[in-house]
Amino acid sequence: MAQIFKGLVCDGEIAVTVIKSTDIVNKAIEYFNLSPVAAAALGRMLSISSIMGYELKHDDDYLTVVLNGGGDIGVMTATASSNGNVKGYVTNPLVESFINEKGKLDVKRAVGTNGKMTIIKNMGLKDPYVGTSEIVSGEIAEDFANYFARSEQTPCGVSLGVKISPDGSCVSAGGVFASVLPFASDESISAFEKVFSPLSNVSTLMADISAEEFAHKYFDQVGLKPIDKTECAYVCDCNKEKIDKVIISLPKADVDELIELDGQIEVVCQFCNKKYTYNKQQAYEVCGFKE
Ligand SMILES: [Zn+2]
């Protein structure tokens, strides 16, 4: 399981959330056979999306992030629930992996720096909250920090890391999200910056410890007070009933054409690659069509 740990630092003036997301990233790799750079990019996005989902207040709240930087990975999508469970996918899971000048997977090159990200929060209201911001770096963490500053007027720090081993699996993934509360003093902010800025290499720093241990190790020095913690995972909740709704929306002519072509209709879940198939009789039954 992945873990999320939440606390307050600097006399309650800054909120920090830490996620250890190795298991989430490995599940995505298992489902989509992600190339190393696709795993790094989607892994970072799943990690911060999980944290943001956990920030939502009600059980049924959820959010969706759509990020399109114009790079070869295509569109990146993630959906997270308020329990921290998350799922996601990218257009091109096999995007070629390049190494940047720092010797790391070149996430920026795969994601691109020319585009937008949109966050849709469904919080039980009539209309969802929709926020948009430009892609400013393509490295994901900076793009989310920019989103919070621009779209939600929340100054914050975001650090995300995904370490991929030569065999293509994820050895360590994690993230830290720190948001500055409105009443925070300049002294608190500068004290926190001193402990936060060395944490850019978060996947390495978290390799052998839990999210909670990480929080204590780096934030006890700024007065960490735990709030809560949870376990979460990559969870796809697709089922036949949900896929039936996709089939029901098809006109009879389309159903007949698909059956004619392939002998059946196949729907693949974008979030877990599970295949759902309908033969003619099953499709007709779901749609209420007669011969
Ligand atoms: Zn699914």
Side-chain angles (χ1 to χ4, degrees), residues 32-250:
F32 305 114
N33 191 27
L34 299 166
S35 71
V37 78
L42 183 59
R44 290 179 191 181
M45 185 150 126
L46 290 169
S47 303
I48 184 67
S49 299
S50 172
I51 287 177
M52 289 178 70
Y54 194 57
E55 300 281 323
L56 297 170
K57 288 191 179 69
H58 311 107
D59 286 354
D60 296 336
D61 292 354
Y62 66 97
L63 61 83
T64 301
V65 184
V66 181
L67 191 154
N68 184 358
D72 288 341
I73 201 169
V75 181
M76 304 173 66
T77 305
T79 294
S81 316
S82 61
N83 58 10
N85 287 345
V86 67
K87 58 184 179 177
Y89 61 92
V90 300
T91 313
N92 183 8
L94 305 177
V95 58
E96 193 176 348
S97 301
F98 294 97
I99 303 298
N100 64 20
E101 66 283 355
K102 290 179 190 157
K104 293 186 166 185
L105 284 165
D106 199 341
V107 171
K108 176 184 194 156
R109 177 169 175 171
V111 171
T113 54
N114 187 15
K116 279 197 305 193
M117 60 181 277
T118 301
I119 298 186
I120 305 146
K121 294 183 182 177
N122 290 274
M123 299 181 288
L125 304 168
K126 193 165 141 265
D127 295 313
Y129 166 87
V130 181
T132 302
S133 65
E134 303 287 315
I135 303 301
V136 291
S137 103
E139 293 281 354
I140 312 289
E142 292 85 346
D143 299 306
F144 275 83
N146 178 62
Y147 164 82
F148 287 112
R150 299 281 165 132
S151 195
E152 299 197 9
Q153 278 82 47
T154 306
C156 71
V158 182
S159 177
L160 302 168
V162 174
K163 210 177 183 145
I164 303 296
S165 78
D167 72 3
S169 67
C170 173
V171 279
S172 174
V176 183
F177 172 66
S179 61
V180 177
L181 301 176
F183 47 84
S185 67
D186 291 345
E187 292 74 34
S188 290
I189 293 169
S190 69
F192 183 74
E193 273 170 353
K194 284 196 188 77
V195 298
F196 183 76
S197 47
L199 303 180
S200 61
N201 212 357
V202 61
S203 56
T204 302
L205 300 176
M206 213 184 288
D208 302 316
I209 52 177
S210 69
E212 183 170 8
E213 288 165 339
F214 178 94
H216 282 295
K217 183 171 179 182
Y218 294 100
F219 299 135
D220 274 352
Q221 55 190 309
V222 281
L224 176 69
K225 289 192 186 68
I227 299 176
D228 58 40
K229 56 182 173 178
T230 191
E231 289 195 324
C232 58
Y234 188 112
V235 174
C236 184
D237 52 357
C238 69
N239 56 41
K240 187 170 177 304
E241 286 69 41
K242 287 185 181 171
I243 307 297
D244 281 354
K245 288 183 184 156
V246 178
I247 301 291
I248 290 169
S249 68
L250 296 172

